[in-house]
Amino acid sequence: MLAGELYSAVDEELLRELNEVKEIIHDYNNLRPSQTEERLKILKGLLGHIADDHIIINQPFYCDYGKQISVGKRFFANFSFTVLDEARVTIGDDCFIGPNVSIYTACHSTDPVERNSRREWALPVSIGNSVWIGGAVTILPGVTIGDNVTIGAGSVVVSDIPSNCIAVGNPCRVVRYLSSWSKA
């Protein structure tokens, strides 16, 4: 799965792992907002890497495995952040994720016979440093987003986005390059 090769989505071991994570996610999503220490403890046990303790993921939060997700320093994700992490999802430092953002790594065939075999593959997603992803953005498998990027609300990111720009739309495209990211 992590190698990008075909795998069975109904593999018993994978289904067991998915159900274990669902239990952890259920516990996380049902903590009171004031239970910050408990939230951090669950995230540290769930996610593959957290760069520091300055992480906020507002509930509800959903993921498939958790352990393929890596977040940098000072990470913030708003309500209803969903990550289908069949492949690695790497997010840099100082990233802000708006509400209802989804990151997908799982890929399915467009051929109905192949798709119905429940075989799929996954492609990693990488998000650079100092990225702001607006609300209701969808990021598709295999996408890399550079540093100092703003992705406009409602965008569907289907291909790579270079550093130092603002990108919007469906499909998401660059609408402005930043001469200096500090002037944005």
Side-chain angles (χ1 to χ4, degrees):
M1 184 171 75
L2 289 175
E5 298 174 6
L6 285 173
Y7 64 91
S8 172
V10 292
D11 176 83
E12 286 184 31
E13 178 64 22
L14 292 178
L15 292 174
R16 184 190 59 73
E17 284 185 56
L18 285 168
N19 284 324
E20 287 176 4
V21 171
K22 285 179 187 176
E23 294 288 334
I24 295 167
I25 291 294
H26 177 271
D27 292 345
Y28 181 82
N29 287 334
N30 286 286
L31 288 173
R32 298 185 64 76
S34 60
Q35 293 178 283
T36 56
E37 289 180 25
E38 293 87 344
R39 287 171 46 177
L40 180 60
K41 182 178 178 183
I42 288 175
L43 290 174
K44 284 183 171 183
L46 177 64
L47 302 184
H49 173 77
I50 297 173
D52 65 17
D53 288 352
H54 301 286
I55 178 174
I56 297 172
I57 300 178
N58 284 332
Q59 299 125 304
F61 165 60
Y62 305 100
C63 66
D64 279 340
Y65 297 95
K67 63 186 176 183
Q68 273 83 253
I69 302 169
S70 173
V71 298
K73 296 175 183 173
R74 298 169 299 278
F75 178 73
F76 173 82
N78 216 323
F79 307 107
S80 296
F81 182 42
T82 300
V83 183
L84 304 187
D85 60 315
E86 279 68 20
R88 298 202 190 288
V89 174
T90 306
I91 302 172
D93 296 340
D94 298 305
C95 288
F96 301 92
I97 308 289
N100 301 307
V101 168
S102 298
I103 299 174
Y104 305 142
T105 65
C107 303
H108 308 275
S109 176
T110 56
D111 178 280
V113 173
E114 288 179 25
R115 185 173 53 247
N116 291 340
S117 75
R118 305 299 193 262
R119 292 176 56 81
E120 56 190 56
W121 67 98
L123 298 172
V125 169
S126 179
I127 299 170
N129 297 312
S130 298
V131 173
W132 174 24
I133 298 175
V137 167
T138 300
I139 301 171
L140 296 185
V143 165
T144 295
I145 297 172
D147 296 331
N148 310 314
V149 171
T150 298
I151 303 292
S155 296
V156 179
V157 186
V158 300
S159 60
D160 293 354
I161 303 295
S163 293
N164 304 308
C165 70
I166 298 169
V168 301
N170 181 6
C172 190
R173 67 194 185 297
V174 175
V175 294
R176 182 174 144 212
Y177 285 94
L178 308 175
S179 57
S180 170
W181 71 270
S182 63
K183 293 181 183 176

